Amino acid sequence: MTEEPLRIGVLGAARIAELSIAGPARVTGHRLVAVAARDRSRAEAFAAEHDVERVLDSYADVVSDPAVEVVYNPLANGLHAPWNLAALAAGKHVLTEKPSASNTEEAVEVRDAVAKAGTVFMEGFHYLFHPVTRRLHELLESGELGELRHVETTMVMPAPPDSDPRWSLPLAGGALMDLGCYSLHAQRVLAPWAGGAPRLVAARGGERAGAPGVDEWLDADLEFPGGATGSARCHMAHDGWEMSCRIVGSLGEATAVNFVQPHLDDRVRVRTASGERVEMLGRRSSYTYQLEAFAAHLRRGAPLRLDADDALATMRLIDDCYQAAGFTLRPRTALPASA
């Protein structure tokens, strides 16, 4: 690496951090300078396994550490906004797991804090940086698929344990927060080929048994200004896994078989009047592409498609879906004074 590596501080030692930041940092040569977790022994184990330079006592210590340039936040959903705000107040750049906040009110506060801090903020929709998703967009841009007519995004998985924070309303859990945010975001980024961003037409959902107010599944119907329609589906207690994106145009269609986990399946199926083909776009981690794009922006000013305004727009659409499906919005999480 010829450029100065990023100096990253990690909040928590969750398993997602191994895939989303530890692996990509190792591949790209960026430094993990600090980590903290509620259980220090977990932070110590994470640091030993992933060559993190120092273990600190608390998230607040990571955020305030002068050696930390970027704060990576993979905590439970309800802790995204509070610690994003804390990191921004400390003058740090922030790479946060999605969604960036628990509700629109918090997302507005984060957006405003980014403007005040003058630092870089990005919500981790890593799929956007992978050649699989870029290829879907190229097929629209080239005209091979014709005019956009319909989009189907499906995010379903087997149920995590009942004790998982994704089933916790106080921690801003729910299928839409964990999975459906991808379904919605993948449709939102099609605005350049659809006459603008989509609006919600209708939404339906089902509550998780034993978890009042938490959605087990939610389906949303969308409509784009240019006339195209969208179907965004998520289910967090399904029989199996599917994370697909199907784009239908006037001249053909294309499907990314697993647009969120292309390191597991990198196929894009294309069907037009001239025939059918399968393109293989590579199984390099989308998280690695994401970290490279984030670093390129910080070090060279390269364009970055994701920012606090984009995160706010996604959060507004999430809240619209919850309200239309009859759910309450996810609650705000307040950090203890000693945090």
Side-chain angles (χ1 to χ4, degrees), residues 6-12 21 31-36 52 56 62-63 65 67-74 93 95:
L6 300 182
R7 304 183 309 278
I8 304 168
V10 182
L11 303 182
I21 200 69
R31 294 169 56 194
L32 301 182
V33 299
V35 63
V52 184
L56 301 181
V62 173
V63 164
D65 191 320
V68 171
E69 174 186 14
V70 175
V71 171
Y72 171 65
N73 183 355
H93 304 299
L95 173 58

Side-chain angles (χ1 to χ4, degrees), residues 5 24 32 40 82 99 129 148 156-157 162 201 212 230 236 252 254 266 274 307:
L32 301 182
R40 186 182 174 91
F129 301 95
L148 182 64
V156 302
M157 62 173 280
D162 289 341
V201 176
M236 207 159 63
D266 62 334
S274 60
D307 58 17

Side-chain angles (χ1 to χ4, degrees), residues 77-78 101-103 106 168-173 328-334:
N77 291 338
S102 297
N103 53 55
E106 279 192 335
S168 167
L169 183 62
L171 288 176
T328 59
L329 303 185
R330 309 299 89 171
R332 169 185 295 272
T333 301

Side-chain angles (χ1 to χ4, degrees), residues 44-80:
E44 290 172 346
F46 183 90
E49 183 175 357
H50 300 294
D51 298 322
V52 184
E53 297 170 18
R54 288 176 294 119
V55 175
L56 301 181
D57 290 332
S58 68
Y59 302 150
D61 289 338
V62 173
V63 164
S64 63
D65 191 320
V68 171
E69 174 186 14
V70 175
V71 171
Y72 171 65
N73 183 355
L75 300 171
N77 291 338
L79 297 177
H80 287 174

Side-chain angles (χ1 to χ4, degrees), residues 16-38:
I16 182 63
E18 299 179 14
L19 176 67
S20 58
I21 200 69
R26 182 172 56 251
V27 169
T28 56
H30 296 292
R31 294 169 56 194
L32 301 182
V33 299
V35 63
R38 287 179 300 166

Side-chain angles (χ1 to χ4, degrees), residues 172-250:
L176 185 61
M177 295 290 282
D178 190 65
L179 299 173
C181 59
Y182 283 105
S183 297
L184 296 175
H185 193 268
Q187 304 224 7
R188 283 194 52 251
V189 297
L190 297 180
W193 304 281
R199 70 173 184 88
L200 181 66
V201 176
R204 305 156 299 282
E207 189 175 75
R208 174 70 171 175
V214 178
D215 48 309
E216 182 175 276
W217 65 272
L218 193 144
D219 295 344
D221 303 326
L222 306 170
E223 184 177 67
F224 293 86
T229 58
S231 171
R233 178 188 180 211
C234 64
H235 200 308
M236 207 159 63
H238 199 259
D239 294 337
W241 292 84
E242 183 180 350
M243 298 182 175
S244 63
C245 179
R246 176 174 175 249
I247 295 177
V248 180
S250 57

